[in-house]
Amino acid sequence: MRIIIYVEGPSDKLAMEELLSSLLNKLQQRGIAVEFFSTEGKKRLMTQTPIKAINILRNDPKAVVIALPDLYPPNIGFKHTTFKELTEVLQCQFKRELERKGLGDTELSKRFLVFCFKHDLESLVLAAEKELASRLGLSALNCTWTKPVEDQNHGQPPKRIVEDLFYQNQEWYKDTVDAPLILGATRYHEIAMACPQCFKPFVDYLESSLQEYL
């Protein structure tokens, strides 16, 4: 079995591979290969992933394709501001592409899944408070953001908060370095519990795939 996951950028790919390394290794041992691919931007993910998914799923009956974009910024590619709307537009594009290709195979639709980072990858970084504080050389953080972190909004997405924390400590946040470093030092279960709205369902799906192959 292959699980192919499209994310927006290199930082998402690197961070997920670090955070989920123990789970990915267990899946690999069960014959389930999980691969993350960067689409180099949200617009490409939103517009191209449904097409890529159909081509993959048609040729591999054991493959699953997952779209895992950021919710922020809204209305990129297609109109959406909520996770529900994001899911609906991606699944609608998938079905339209099926129709365009003359395919009515509902089995393909069952193997195209949508999750997201709410509002972006840095929600997970904020959830890793101890590790984030350690990266900044602090014993603890002065928490000024909303909890749970997924309750942030489009006006103040988690990445802006993380960038400000680094700036306040005379450092620059580099997502391809700092996000994997911070999340690689955490336990993915703890991050999932702190991000129950959108990230935990994604983790639950991966864990359920593991259970199916016990």
Side-chain angles (χ1 to χ4, degrees):
M1 179 180 180
R2 294 175 66 210
I3 301 177
I4 298 159
I5 304 169
Y6 286 102
V7 293
E8 290 185 19
S11 61
D12 305 294
K13 177 182 186 299
L14 294 169
M16 287 299 93
E17 289 172 344
E18 288 295 320
L19 175 60
L20 300 173
S21 60
S22 61
L23 177 56
L24 299 181
N25 287 335
K26 290 178 182 177
L27 288 163
Q28 183 68 49
Q29 291 168 10
R30 298 288 180 182
I32 304 171
V34 179
E35 303 169 86
F36 289 89
F37 292 95
S38 166
T39 61
E40 302 299 334
K42 182 172 182 177
K43 186 174 182 179
R44 287 186 179 180
L45 190 154
M46 296 293 294
T47 58
Q48 297 179 13
T49 297
I51 299 170
K52 291 179 179 179
I54 290 174
N55 293 333
I56 292 168
L57 298 175
R58 288 178 69 186
N59 293 309
D60 187 348
K62 292 186 178 180
V64 171
V65 175
I66 294 176
L68 183 61
D70 293 353
L71 183 58
Y72 176 87
N75 303 318
I76 298 296
F78 307 98
K79 184 177 179 180
H80 66 278
T81 59
T82 66
F83 172 55
K84 182 175 183 291
E85 291 171 346
L86 182 150
T87 301
E88 288 174 349
V89 296
L90 279 171
Q91 291 177 338
C92 181
Q93 287 304 116
F94 184 86
K95 291 177 181 178
R96 285 179 180 173
E97 187 64 17
L98 281 178
E99 292 173 0
R100 189 183 73 82
K101 291 179 176 291
L103 301 170
D105 189 350
T106 56
E107 286 300 313
L108 296 183
S109 298
K110 292 178 182 178
R111 293 188 285 125
F112 176 62
L113 307 176
V114 180
F115 298 97
C116 84
F117 297 115
K118 186 173 182 282
H119 288 76
D120 50 37
L121 173 69
E122 281 69 25
S123 60
L124 313 187
V125 175
L126 282 180
E129 287 188 35
K130 292 180 181 178
E131 293 77 14
L132 176 55
S134 177
R135 168 65 185 86
L136 293 170
L138 303 172
S139 58
L141 296 173
N142 179 23
C143 178
T144 59
W145 53 89
T146 302
K147 289 186 178 181
V149 291
E150 289 177 313
D151 280 343
Q152 289 298 138
N153 56 60
H154 289 300
Q156 184 73 331
K159 188 169 187 176
R160 299 292 171 262
I161 298 171
V162 172
E163 289 173 338
D164 286 344
L165 287 171
F166 272 72
Y167 181 75
Q168 291 165 19
N169 287 275
Q170 290 77 51
E171 294 200 49
W172 293 102
Y173 174 67
K174 188 172 182 179
D175 55 9
T176 54
V177 175
D178 294 308
L181 181 68
I182 292 165
L183 293 176
T186 68
R187 296 181 178 180
Y188 76 86
H189 281 110
E190 294 177 0
I191 302 301
M193 292 303 294
C195 302
Q197 298 171 25
C198 291
F199 184 63
K200 187 175 183 297
F202 169 63
V203 170
D204 288 345
Y205 171 76
L206 293 180
E207 290 187 327
S208 70
S209 299
L210 180 63
Q211 294 300 318
E212 288 179 13
Y213 280 75
L214 286 177

